[in-house]
Amino acid sequence: MNPVQTSIPQADGSNRYVIIEPMYEKEGERGWRSSGEYKIYKDAFGDETHLFTEPAEFGGENDDLPDEQNPDYLGKFVFESGSIKHFEGQVLSVAEQAYLAVFIESYQVPDI
């Protein structure tokens, strides 16, 4: 799964746009596998960009700014065996966390 853009409906009828970035870890000679962690970032524009149509690139950390210092970082979901274990973060409400947890659990990569 590549990063995905989505929106969280708000009580006032607006949307909070976010980017869900799956995290991967090296699995020996077999390649990469999902770590079960999904980082959530603010998406100010809600637009589709070329980043989300290109294949994922793996190889190492390329974060220039630690998540804790990134104003767009909203938190991280940790899944274990396909079920949510916990959410780390303080910006998203419980309702927003629940909405995104269901989104991540039910997400299907579109056929292209």
Side-chain angles (χ1 to χ4, degrees):
M1 178 174 146
N2 288 323
V4 173
Q5 293 173 296
T6 192
S7 60
I8 307 167
Q10 302 295 295
D12 66 1
S14 66
N15 288 307
R16 174 180 273 196
Y17 294 98
V18 298
I19 297 169
I20 302 170
E21 180 183 13
M23 306 309 298
Y24 292 91
E25 58 192 12
K26 184 89 168 138
E27 187 177 37
E29 297 298 317
R30 299 175 70 185
W32 296 90
R33 70 176 186 89
S34 174
S35 68
E37 296 182 359
Y38 298 83
K39 292 184 179 183
I40 311 299
Y41 296 94
K42 282 192 273 184
D43 181 8
F45 303 105
D47 63 342
E48 290 293 326
T49 64
H50 69 281
L51 170 67
F52 304 103
T53 59
E54 295 177 359
E57 295 182 22
F58 304 112
E61 288 290 323
N62 59 2
D63 296 337
D64 297 329
L65 185 64
D67 290 328
E68 298 75 29
Q69 296 175 10
N70 184 342
D72 293 333
Y73 181 69
L74 300 175
K76 174 174 68 174
F77 284 97
V78 178
F79 285 78
E80 194 171 278
S81 302
S83 297
I84 189 163
K85 185 175 177 184
H86 66 275
F87 177 78
E88 298 173 6
Q90 300 175 350
V91 177
L92 298 176
S93 70
V94 173
E96 291 173 318
Q97 292 174 35
Y99 184 88
L100 288 178
V102 169
F103 180 89
I104 293 168
E105 288 176 332
S106 62
Y107 182 76
Q108 299 289 319
V109 177
D111 291 332
I112 297 178

